[in-house]
């Protein structure tokens, strides 16, 4: 799965940055770890259910969301896909029907795209035994860092390093990558990647209904 490969790639990039280059950026590291977590979570989300029908439905939904995003980009570039979006939708729904999924499940294939927050939480609950809220919280915090959100920066502020400046009424503070956030972000991404690979190997052996 391309998402699982992307997860490992981002995780390795984070390792290369910190362990090999000995550089700890304030925000960039969390961008890499967020990508590692959400890509591994997407793979786990698809692979975790014991029911093969559920796995197929989730795979079709993720594929549809991928196609919608691709077509949006192609529209901006003023190019057209070889196969229309409507045709792709029919193809995916035909796969669902051939598998014997219900009318409601067939409709879900091309329904509103699943958000990453839903995917990360479900993957945590199902693949990591009830760790949905934990995984979601870490993903949200790292997303805040990746997008330069003010609240994320304020949470990073080392308040022990706030000092007066030369300008009256203005104080200076040091914003660094918190060791705690680094540690639990690395652990979360690693756990999700390892579990997703395990599920991938398991399903490759035909385990599941």
């Amino acid at each position: 799965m391309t998402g699982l490969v992307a997860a490992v790639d981002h995780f390795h990039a984070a390792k290369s940055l910190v362990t090999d280059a000995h550089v700890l950026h304030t925000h960039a590291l969390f961008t890499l770890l967020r990508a590692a977590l959400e890509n591994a979570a997407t793979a786990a989300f698809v692979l975790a259910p014991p029911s093969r029908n559920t796995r197929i439905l989730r795979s079709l939904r993720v594929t549809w969301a991928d196609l919608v995003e691709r077509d949006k980009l192609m529209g901006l570039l003023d190019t057209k896909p070889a196969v229309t979006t409507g045709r792709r939708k029919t193809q995916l729904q035909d796969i669902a029907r051939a598998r014997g999924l219900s009318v409601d499940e067939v409709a879900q294939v091309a329904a509103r795209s699943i958000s990453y927050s839903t995917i990360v939480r479900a993957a945590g609950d199902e693949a990591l035994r009830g760790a949905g809220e934990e995984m979601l919280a870490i993903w949200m915090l790292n997303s805040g860092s990746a997008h330069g959100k003010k609240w994320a920066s304020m949470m990073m502020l080392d308040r022990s390093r706030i000092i007066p400046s030369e300008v009256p009424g203005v104080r200076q503070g040091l914003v660094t990558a918190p060791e705690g956030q680094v540690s639990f972000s690395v652990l979360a991404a690693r756990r999700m990647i390892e579990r997703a690979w395990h599920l991938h190997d398991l399903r490759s052996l035909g385990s599941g209904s």
Side-chain angles (χ1 to χ4, degrees), residues 164-176:
S165 70
E166 296 179 357
V167 181
V170 176
R171 298 170 68 85
Q172 297 176 324
L174 176 66
V175 177
T176 60

Side-chain angles (χ1 to χ4, degrees), residues 105-126:
E105 289 171 326
V106 171
Q108 289 180 42
V109 169
R112 183 176 179 179
S113 298
I114 308 174
S115 66
Y116 272 119
S117 59
T118 298
I119 288 173
V120 170
R121 185 167 192 161
D125 281 334
E126 298 173 6

Side-chain angles (χ1 to χ4, degrees), residues 6 83 118 142 208:
V83 181
T118 298
N142 289 345

Side-chain angles (χ1 to χ4, degrees), residues 4-200:
L4 195 47
V5 173
V8 174
D9 190 63
H10 282 91
F11 193 76
H12 184 266
K15 175 263 181 188
S16 298
L17 186 67
V18 177
T19 305
D20 301 337
H22 303 292
V23 176
L24 186 60
H25 289 97
T26 305
H27 294 88
L29 175 62
F30 300 116
T31 302
L32 293 170
L33 293 174
R34 171 209 182 202
L37 176 59
E38 71 182 21
N39 278 292
T42 302
F45 172 77
V46 171
L47 296 168
S51 167
R52 189 176 184 187
N53 277 1
T54 303
R55 297 198 301 272
I56 290 173
L57 176 58
R58 289 185 177 186
S59 178
L60 293 172
R61 293 191 69 184
V62 170
T63 300
W64 171 250
D66 184 77
L67 290 171
V68 169
E69 290 180 5
R70 181 207 63 177
D71 289 352
K72 286 180 180 178
L73 172 61
M74 295 186 75
L76 291 174
L77 299 176
D78 198 26
T79 58
K80 295 182 179 180
V83 181
T84 65
T85 304
R87 178 56 183 157
R88 289 294 191 191
K89 175 181 177 180
T90 299
Q91 290 174 338
L92 294 176
Q93 291 181 329
D94 284 346
I95 293 173
R97 292 189 186 95
R99 179 63 190 178
L101 299 185
S102 68
V103 174
D104 180 63
E105 289 171 326
V106 171
Q108 289 180 42
V109 169
R112 183 176 179 179
S113 298
I114 308 174
S115 66
Y116 272 119
S117 59
T118 298
I119 288 173
V120 170
R121 185 167 192 161
D125 281 334
E126 298 173 6
L128 296 176
R129 299 181 180 180
E133 289 190 0
E134 175 189 347
M135 293 297 118
L136 179 59
I138 294 170
W139 177 82
M140 290 178 67
L141 182 56
N142 289 345
S143 293
S145 298
H147 292 291
K149 297 295 185 180
K150 183 177 180 179
W151 60 262
S153 295
M154 292 302 293
M155 292 181 72
M156 290 180 177
L157 185 63
D158 184 348
R159 299 184 184 279
S160 65
R161 300 289 296 277
I162 297 178
I163 58 176
S165 70
E166 296 179 357
V167 181
V170 176
R171 298 170 68 85
Q172 297 176 324
L174 176 66
V175 177
T176 60
E179 292 183 6
Q181 185 178 348
V182 173
S183 297
F184 57 65
S185 297
V186 168
L187 181 59
R190 178 178 175 177
R191 288 176 63 198
M192 192 66 78
I193 290 171
E194 290 177 343
R195 184 56 182 163
W197 271 117
H198 174 73
L199 288 167
H200 178 271

